């Protein structure tokens, strides 16, 4: 039998299909857009088509993410905190602190030795330092979001960008461009700003994170510049990134679907 | 407008109770409606007060008294607080200051606060509340008396506050023109002592495993019951709660319970309509069995010479003094009520709440009680994002359930 996990985030809708052996058969990442149900249907169809599986053969679906209650034929919905923890356990089992930066949420999750959630912290009040923040900065810089990692690698460092508010930060970036500041330096400043906010989240669950295996999931983990900046902010602690980091929540949901329907 | 609102509320609740459709929570709301009606009647001598003013003593002096935050909570419950809060931007309130106080000041600017005869400020639990009293005194051009609450129970401190309370009586009687009736004061103190005994019984019932309370039953209970202290109606209300919980306790023993998790709620509840209690109970079998403010931390008051007893009562509030008082109190409550977790809403703008958050979290974790810290404006529903809130609460419950 097959099990489907669907993670409906604010920016992307991700799905993962697994079998009874917990082997990943297919994944899909589609933009969420304004219509959740269409995105859910599209992600599901793409995943099933890639695995050549029909929907009737899917034994259980578990949904997660902010739109988790919009998946109609789900077995249950589970928060992204639990799902990311379950997903990273499957991919990087030694992880004790997981950083997940999604579209509008950033979170740190402390895991016990058994992989269960022991504590978590999330961004509050605003979405500065999340995927939306990065998207707005890329737009202001007129660069593709996927280029930002490469640009960061060429920076000398030293610039800081406001991490208090996305709108203020965007305005600051525009001013820096107008002043002739190198784009790569601005990108580094943006990444440092995200790292600064992330560090405080990590410290809320693990005051002294050294000694813990740290990993990062979520779409922002694809940005090598952000990962490096977080690693540096943590005191040069290695931050592991699993394969397909944006599908870790959906993977966790699929694994929970299998467990719950056993 | 507010007078009519409270009259309609009272009539509606009374009709439901007369038709045997009432619950203990409805009796509680009925008393609140009656207090609201008196505050807005234009006939009573009204005193706006700080949270730990001696309401029973003021009641015995024929003054209808209330702490100002009550009005903030009422405005939130009726979903009008948001607009009032925005009004206060014009008079110097920062947008991240306490919404309880901003709502009261907004209501004052919109002429929704009844004109008081006098005001009684208290230096505890926070300077924000005291500033509101001072603002109201200036706005209504009325005198206020400040009770300086010492931070510990040293005998000289108790005497110091007791002397202030004696002076406060002179201040009040001079303004109202009504002399103190010692028999009335004695009766009020005797009644307060009886209420105190009943409250202890109620809280002991709530401690039972499984608990006979629902998550909503004792919401805001302790702090609001202070407003009814010294009155027969307050005693009747407390007795109704006790009797109902006793009855439920007997039924629970026979029928069992679906109680899976027991929770401690720190500080105040969210005052506007929100899904939390229902979500916790329906989805996770989790029940708020104890609120931080639902406790009796004082002894009986001597009806013949009440001032030392009233002073000691005011000093005993765990929000008074260093954060360690709150920390130790919360640890004790967590243990006595055998809770599995605690939720701290950390009301936006509450410096005291935010400042103590880390200490509280660490101390509860030390005794094995996980804490969910939320960032909620407990008064302004316009700042409430349900999806974000649900994710945090659900993740916390999933964590405890795993």
């Amino acid at each position: 039998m097959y099990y489907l996990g669907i993670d409906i985030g604010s920016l992307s809708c991700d799905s993962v299909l697994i079998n009874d052996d917990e082997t990943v058969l297919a994944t899909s990442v589609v933009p969420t857009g304004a219509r959740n149900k269409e995105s859910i249907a599209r992600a599901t169809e793409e995943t099933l088509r890639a695995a050549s599986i029909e929907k009737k053969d899917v034994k259980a679906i578990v949904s997660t993410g902010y739109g988790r209650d919009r998946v109609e034929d789900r077995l249950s919905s589970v928060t992204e905190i639990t799902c990311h923890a379950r997903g990273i356990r499957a991919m990087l089992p030694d992880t004790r602190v997981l950083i997940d930066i999604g579209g509008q949420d950033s979170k740190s999750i402390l895991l016990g030795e058994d992989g269960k959630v022991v504590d978590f912290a999330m961004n509050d009040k605003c979405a500065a330092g999340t995927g939306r923040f990065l998207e707005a900065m890329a737009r202001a810089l007129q660069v593709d979001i996927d280029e930002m990692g490469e640009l960061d690698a060429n920076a000398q460092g030293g610039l800081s960008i406001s991490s208090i508010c996305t709108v203020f930060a965007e305005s600051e970036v525009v001013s820096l461009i107008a002043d002739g500041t190198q784009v790569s330096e601005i990108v580094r400043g943006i990444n440092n700003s995200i790292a600064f906010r992330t560090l405080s989240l990590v410290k809320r669950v693990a005051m002294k994170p050294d000694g813990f295996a740290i990993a990062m999931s979520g779409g922002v983990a694809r940005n090598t510049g952000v990962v490096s900046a977080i690693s540096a902010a943590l005191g040069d602690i290695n931050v592991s990134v699993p394969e397909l980091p944006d599908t870790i929540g959906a993977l966790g949901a699929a694994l929970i679907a299998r467990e719950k329907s056993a | 407008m507010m007078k009519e609102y409270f009259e309609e509320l009272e009539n509606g609740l009374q009709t439901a109770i007369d038709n045997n459709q009432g619950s203990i929570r409805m009796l509680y709301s009925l008393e609140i409606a009656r207090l609201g009606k008196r505050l807005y009647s234009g006939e009573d001598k009204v005193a706006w007060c700080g949270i730990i003013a001696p309401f029973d003593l003021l009641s015995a002096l024929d003054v209808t008294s209330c702490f100002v935050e009550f009005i903030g909570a009422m405005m939130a419950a009726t979903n009008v607080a948001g607009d009032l809060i925005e009004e206060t931007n014009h008079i110097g309130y920062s947008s991240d200051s306490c919404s309880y106080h901003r709502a009261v000041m907004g209501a004052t600017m919109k002429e929704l606060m009844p004109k008081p005869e006098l005001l009684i400020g208290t230096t505890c639990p926070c300077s924000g509340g005291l500033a509101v009293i001072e603002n109201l005194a200036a706005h209504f051009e009325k005198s206020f008396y400040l009770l300086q609450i010492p931070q510990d129970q040293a005998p000289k401190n108790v005497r110091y506050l007791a002397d202030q309370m004696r002076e406060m009586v002179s201040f009040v009687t001079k303004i109202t023109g009504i002399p103190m009736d010692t028999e009335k004061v004695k009766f009020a103190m005797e009644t307060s002592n009886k209420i105190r005994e009943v409250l202890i019984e109620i809280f002991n019932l709530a401690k039972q495993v499984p608990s006979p309370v629902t998550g909503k039953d004792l919401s805001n209970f302790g702090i609001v019951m202070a407003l009814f202290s010294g009155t027969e109606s307050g005693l009747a209300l407390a007795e109704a709660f006790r009797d109902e919980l006793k009855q439920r306790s007997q039924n629970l023993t026979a029928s069992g319970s679906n109680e899976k998790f027991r929770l401690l709620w720190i500080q105040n509840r969210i005052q506007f309509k929100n899904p939390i209690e229902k979500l916790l109970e329906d989805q996770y079998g989790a029940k708020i069995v104890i609120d931080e403010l639902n406790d009796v931390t004082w002894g009986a008051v001597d009806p013949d010479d009440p001032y030392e007893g009233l002073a000691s009562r005011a000093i005993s509030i765990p929000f008074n003094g260093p954060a360690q008082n709150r920390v130790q109190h919360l640890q004790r409550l967590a243990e006595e009520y055998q809770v599995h977790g605690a939720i701290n809403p950390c009301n936006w703008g509450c410096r005291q709440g935010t400042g103590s958050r880390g200490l509280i979290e660490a101390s509860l974790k030390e005794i094995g009680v996980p804490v969910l810290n939320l960032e909620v404006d407990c008064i302004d529903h316009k700042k409430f994002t349900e999806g974000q809130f649900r994710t945090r609460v659900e993740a916390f419950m999933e964590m405890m359930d795993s």
Side-chain angles (χ1 to χ4, degrees):
Chain A
M1 295 302 290
Y2 305 98
Y3 308 90
L4 189 66
I6 306 177
D7 180 357
I8 308 99
S10 63
L11 282 178
S12 69
C13 179
D14 321 317
S15 76
V16 170
L17 185 76
I18 62 167
N19 61 15
D20 277 315
D21 297 331
E22 300 188 352
T23 304
V24 175
L25 303 177
T27 66
S28 168
V29 178
V30 304
T32 302
R35 294 179 181 84
N36 285 176
K37 286 190 177 172
E38 286 176 16
S39 315
I40 293 163
R42 204 177 130 204
T44 304
E45 278 165 25
E46 280 189 11
T47 309
L48 294 176
R49 195 184 320 122
S52 302
I53 299 293
E54 289 191 40
K55 196 167 180 187
K56 65 177 173 58
D57 295 321
V58 174
K59 189 175 179 187
I61 300 173
V62 163
S63 57
T64 187
Y66 94 97
R68 59 189 176 276
D69 292 335
R70 303 213 174 99
V71 177
E72 286 172 352
D73 43 1
R74 66 185 187 276
L75 172 69
S76 68
S77 62
V78 178
T79 66
E80 48 270 45
I81 289 93
T82 302
C83 286
H84 274 268
R86 183 67 188 86
I88 204 70
R89 178 75 173 169
M91 298 295 286
L92 300 169
D94 294 333
T95 302
R96 295 294 304 281
V97 175
L98 175 63
I99 299 162
D100 165 45
I101 305 185
Q104 63 182 15
D105 281 333
S106 45
K107 48 191 99 64
S108 61
I109 305 168
L110 180 65
L111 306 169
E113 285 180 3
D114 57 0
K116 288 182 178 167
V117 178
V118 174
D119 200 358
F120 66 93
M122 296 177 77
N123 62 314
D124 285 301
K125 294 182 183 170
C126 90
T130 65
R132 287 264 183 218
F133 174 82
L134 211 53
E135 201 177 63
M137 296 308 113
R139 194 173 54 238
L141 285 166
Q142 297 182 318
V143 299
D144 193 298
I145 200 160
D146 294 332
E147 290 176 54
M148 291 178 85
E150 199 177 318
L151 284 164
D152 176 275
N154 298 321
Q156 299 298 309
L159 190 70
S160 69
I161 305 281
S162 163
S163 60
I164 298 298
C165 165
T166 304
V167 176
F168 289 169
E170 194 169 344
S171 155
E172 201 177 330
V173 165
V174 170
S175 299
L176 287 166
I177 295 168
D179 288 346
T181 310
Q182 292 277 325
V183 170
S184 56
E185 297 302 328
I186 302 173
V187 168
R188 174 67 65 86
I190 291 164
N191 291 341
N192 286 340
S193 155
I194 293 174
F196 177 74
R197 286 185 75 97
T198 306
L199 178 66
S200 69
L201 278 180
V202 170
K203 290 204 164 185
R204 275 167 62 183
V205 300
M207 187 53 84
K208 291 179 182 167
D210 50 323
F212 285 132
I214 299 179
M216 186 169 166
S217 61
V220 175
R222 287 182 180 277
N223 185 324
T224 51
V226 173
V227 178
S228 299
I230 291 173
S231 172
L234 287 166
D236 289 326
I237 299 175
N238 180 54
V239 176
S240 305
V241 177
E243 208 180 323
L244 302 176
D246 33 7
T247 62
I248 294 299
L251 171 63
L255 292 165
I256 292 169
R258 197 191 75 79
E259 286 158 15
K260 282 186 180 248
S261 55
Chain B
M1 182 184 101
M2 293 303 289
K3 185 183 169 193
E4 287 75 25
Y5 167 76
F6 282 116
E7 276 174 357
E8 277 177 30
L9 182 63
E10 183 192 18
N11 292 337
L13 290 164
Q14 190 63 65
T15 304
I17 291 163
D18 291 344
N19 292 335
N20 291 325
Q21 293 167 336
S23 61
I24 46 170
R25 196 68 194 172
M26 220 174 250
L27 292 173
Y28 168 89
S29 300
L30 180 64
E31 277 313 306
I32 287 178
R34 286 175 175 159
L35 172 62
K37 197 174 86 170
R38 288 201 307 277
L39 289 168
Y40 284 89
S41 68
E43 294 162 8
D44 285 29
K45 295 187 186 308
V46 168
W48 289 120
C49 302
I51 286 174
I52 54 173
F55 298 104
D56 38 10
L57 181 57
L58 289 164
S59 174
L61 297 172
D62 288 324
V63 173
T64 298
S65 55
C66 184
F67 51 84
V68 289
E69 289 82 356
F70 172 85
I71 294 296
M74 287 304 299
M75 296 298 174
T78 49
N79 269 4
V80 297
D83 293 336
L84 299 174
I85 287 165
E86 280 172 25
E87 282 291 317
T88 61
N89 290 336
H90 317 312
I91 56 164
Y93 269 84
S94 154
S95 60
D96 62 359
S97 53
C98 174
S99 290
Y100 278 95
H101 301 136
R102 292 179 72 203
V104 174
M105 289 313 301
T108 307
M109 291 168 72
K110 289 279 188 185
E111 297 183 358
L112 291 172
M113 282 291 278
K115 188 174 185 173
E117 202 74 19
L118 56 104
L119 301 100
I120 308 290
T122 54
T123 53
C124 170
C126 69
S127 56
L130 177 55
V132 170
I133 294 287
E134 295 187 66
N135 271 301
L136 291 178
H139 177 87
F140 290 113
E141 297 180 333
K142 294 288 179 183
S143 305
F144 84 97
Y145 186 87
L146 176 61
L147 287 169
Q148 308 245 21
I149 313 293
Q151 300 212 337
D152 65 60
Q153 298 275 11
K156 64 175 182 180
N157 287 344
V158 175
R159 282 196 301 275
Y160 171 66
L161 182 55
D163 285 344
Q164 290 182 63
M165 289 194 177
R166 289 185 183 95
E167 197 176 70
M168 183 199 82
V169 170
S170 303
F171 168 83
V172 172
T173 53
K174 191 174 164 192
I175 288 176
T176 62
I178 304 169
M180 184 174 78
D181 179 339
T182 49
E183 283 307 306
K184 247 181 163 175
V185 171
K186 187 176 177 183
F187 177 79
M189 296 307 133
E190 285 169 350
T191 309
S192 278
N193 287 340
K194 286 179 191 165
I195 292 174
R196 177 184 168 277
E197 293 295 328
V198 179
L199 289 179
I200 291 170
E201 285 186 77
I202 290 169
F203 298 141
N204 281 336
L205 283 161
K207 280 178 199 166
Q208 291 178 358
V209 182
S211 176
V213 299
T214 69
K216 189 77 186 165
D217 281 335
L218 299 180
S219 156
N220 296 326
F221 184 72
I223 192 164
V224 170
M225 279 305 291
L227 295 173
F228 308 136
S229 59
T231 66
E232 286 177 302
S233 59
L235 178 59
L237 179 63
E239 287 173 341
F241 267 79
R242 178 201 56 197
D243 296 345
E244 167 73 15
L245 294 183
K246 255 187 192 171
Q247 185 62 49
R248 281 194 215 165
S249 174
Q250 285 161 8
N251 294 344
L252 265 181
T253 313
S255 64
S257 161
N258 59 358
E259 178 181 295
K260 194 170 171 190
F261 297 105
R262 297 162 66 85
L263 300 174
L264 160 65
W265 188 274
I266 297 172
Q267 216 188 31
N268 295 316
R269 296 285 182 102
I270 298 166
Q271 305 294 347
F272 50 84
K273 196 173 177 193
N274 71 86
I276 185 159
E277 287 101 356
K278 191 166 165 46
L279 170 76
L280 288 169
E281 291 195 15
D282 292 356
Q283 211 163 313
Y284 300 101
K287 195 187 279 181
I288 300 164
V289 292
I290 172 65
D291 289 63
E292 181 179 9
L293 303 175
N294 285 350
D295 198 14
V296 175
T297 53
W298 60 93
V301 174
D302 179 353
D304 293 313
D305 184 12
Y307 297 104
E308 264 71 13
L310 290 174
S312 177
R313 182 177 73 185
I315 295 170
S316 78
I317 305 302
F319 274 83
N320 188 29
Q324 272 309 313
N325 290 359
R326 280 189 76 193
V327 165
Q328 285 164 12
H329 181 240
L330 284 165
Q331 274 191 330
R332 180 172 66 72
L333 290 179
E335 285 173 341
E336 285 181 2
Y337 284 77
Q338 301 176 58
V339 300
H340 301 98
I343 298 179
N344 189 353
C346 306
N347 181 42
W348 281 18
C350 179
R351 306 296 190 243
Q352 186 191 48
T354 307
S356 308
R357 189 165 81 167
L359 291 169
I360 289 171
E361 183 178 359
S363 70
L364 289 175
K365 280 183 177 169
E366 196 180 283
I367 58 168
V369 176
V371 180
L372 174 65
N373 286 316
L374 297 169
E375 295 267 353
V376 191
D377 189 317
C378 295
I379 293 292
D380 190 355
H381 70 282
K382 289 181 174 177
K383 292 187 190 134
F384 186 68
T385 48
E386 186 174 329
Q388 300 280 327
F389 187 77
R390 285 183 82 98
T391 294
R392 285 153 179 76
V393 172
E394 288 182 8
F396 184 64
M397 294 313 304
E398 286 169 5
M399 183 180 88
M400 287 207 291
D401 203 14
S402 67

